[in-house]
Amino acid sequence: MKSILLPTDFSKNSWNAIEYAIKFCANTPCTFYLMHVNRLAEVSVNTLDYNINSTVIEDTYTVAAKKQLASLLKKIALQFPNNSNHAFYTINEADFFIDAIRKQVLEKR
């Protein structure tokens, strides 16, 4: 089974890439990982006035991204129903973009 990492920023371009990947692999057993990265640089720069802790990051960045990832899964389920070859999982990271990609590629192979 193939593992395919699909980074998303929830834009139309990201959706087009997701749609293309699903259609391209329609007959191939795949596990798709939809990943959103909250850029660590953005988190650090925008919150310099106080100590950053996991609660602040969770409340400010992670909760909204998780909701958007759940909406994205619903959209995929509506647009591409009943494909038993495909499984979908979501990943939400707070890291530098390239580091997050490398980490997932190593973990998911």
Side-chain angles (χ1 to χ4, degrees):
M1 181 175 280
K2 289 187 180 227
S3 294
I4 299 175
L5 182 63
L6 297 169
T8 182
D9 61 358
F10 309 112
S11 67
K12 185 175 180 181
N13 286 340
S14 290
W15 172 251
N16 289 342
I18 291 167
E19 194 174 33
Y20 179 84
I22 293 170
K23 288 178 182 177
F24 186 78
C25 298
N27 298 318
T28 306
C30 296
T31 301
F32 292 98
Y33 295 95
L34 303 167
M35 184 175 85
H36 177 73
V37 178
N38 295 312
R39 292 178 294 178
L40 189 59
E42 185 176 286
V43 173
S44 299
V45 170
N46 290 337
T47 56
L48 283 177
D49 295 343
Y50 50 91
N51 291 335
I52 300 172
N53 63 38
S54 60
T55 306
V56 171
I57 292 172
E58 180 78 21
D59 292 345
T60 307
Y61 298 95
T62 307
V63 172
K66 284 182 180 179
K67 286 180 183 177
Q68 286 179 294
L69 285 167
S71 293
L72 191 57
L73 282 177
K74 288 178 187 174
K75 185 175 181 179
I76 290 169
L78 288 173
Q79 209 153 347
F80 302 98
N82 303 324
N83 189 338
S84 60
N85 286 329
H86 295 166
F88 294 89
Y89 298 95
T90 61
I91 302 167
N92 189 36
E93 292 274 348
D95 202 348
F96 293 104
F97 184 76
I98 297 298
D99 293 340
I101 296 287
R102 286 181 179 144
K103 175 185 166 192
Q104 292 303 321
V105 167
L106 287 174
E107 285 182 13
K108 308 295 189 273
R109 300 222 171 255

